[in-house]
Amino acid sequence: PSECNGAGSLSVFASDPACELYFSAVGTFTITASFAGDLNYDPTTATLDVTVGEFIPRLAISTSPDSPNSSSNTEIIATLSHPDGTLSVASGTVTFSFDGPSAVSQQTVDVQADGTATFPAYLFGGGQWIVTVEYSGASPAAATSDTLQFSVKAFTGEIDFTSIPLTGKAGT
């Protein structure tokens, strides 16, 4: 943990001193408070064991492009960050699972240094899709999951069969 306000000591001007401590790791830490004493009070020391657990990261899911078309490449992006938004979660894996008009294989992807995991999906079939993203967790970040429902525009292009040469034998 850090020292109290980075100073290592806290001047007491009230009967209820306070200090914020920041922990960079999961585990049990011992906090020690000491009073050097004065004319009215003897010196004293007190300790407290504090257990710091994993945090549940924020998980944001998006698509690129924002409005995907059927039969085109679409990136599904999971972004993981600390709950206060200040840090990215830079380790672990993310598993992408799909429910939609056609089959897309489940895929597990490593989380990158910037806190993102990207799955390039080929979404065949317009309509409603649901992607479930499951983060494995990597200390000090706990496992978490979320879903995103999005629409894929159906293919509306035309195919010109007159430009395709057809060959064959009559009667076969």
Side-chain angles (χ1 to χ4, degrees), residues 8 19 23 29 39 54-55 62-63 77 91 98-99 104 115:
C19 177
F23 297 85
F29 303 90
L39 294 175
E54 294 180 325
F55 66 87
S62 60
T63 62
I77 304 158
S91 61
F98 293 86
D99 182 16
V104 175

Side-chain angles (χ1 to χ4, degrees), residues 18 29 37 42-43 45-46 49 60 66 71 86-87 113 115 122 138 144 158 163-164:
F29 303 90
D42 291 331
T45 299
D49 287 336
D66 291 336
S71 304
T86 59
L87 303 169
Y122 187 78
T144 190
E158 296 179 7
S163 64
I164 300 173

Side-chain angles (χ1 to χ4, degrees), residues 4-170:
C4 185
N5 299 323
S9 64
L10 176 66
S11 297
V12 179
F13 294 104
S15 62
D16 190 18
C19 177
E20 285 187 18
L21 297 175
Y22 298 93
F23 297 85
S24 60
V26 173
T28 300
F29 303 90
T30 300
I31 308 295
T32 302
S34 298
F35 175 64
D38 62 15
L39 294 175
N40 299 313
Y41 298 97
D42 291 331
T44 189
T45 299
T47 61
L48 174 67
D49 287 336
V50 176
T51 300
V52 177
E54 294 180 325
F55 66 87
I56 299 173
R58 287 184 187 168
L59 173 58
I61 309 167
S62 60
T63 62
S64 179
D66 291 336
S67 300
N69 293 313
S70 175
S71 304
S72 66
N73 291 322
T74 302
E75 289 187 335
I76 311 298
I77 304 158
T79 303
L80 293 144
S81 63
H82 190 275
D84 67 10
T86 59
L87 303 169
S88 61
V89 175
S91 61
T93 60
V94 168
T95 301
F96 295 87
S97 304
F98 293 86
D99 182 16
S102 65
V104 175
S105 297
Q106 179 176 314
Q107 184 73 30
T108 300
V109 177
D110 289 333
V111 175
Q112 301 303 304
D114 65 355
T116 62
T118 303
F119 175 57
Y122 187 78
L123 304 176
F124 186 72
Q128 290 297 307
W129 286 79
I130 298 173
V131 60
T132 300
V133 173
E134 297 176 356
Y135 170 60
S136 65
S139 190
T144 190
S145 64
D146 202 358
T147 60
L148 173 69
Q149 182 172 342
F150 60 99
S151 295
V152 173
K153 292 182 236 167
F155 178 75
T156 58
E158 296 179 7
I159 299 174
D160 180 7
F161 287 103
T162 59
S163 64
I164 300 173
L166 301 174
T167 59
K169 296 180 183 177

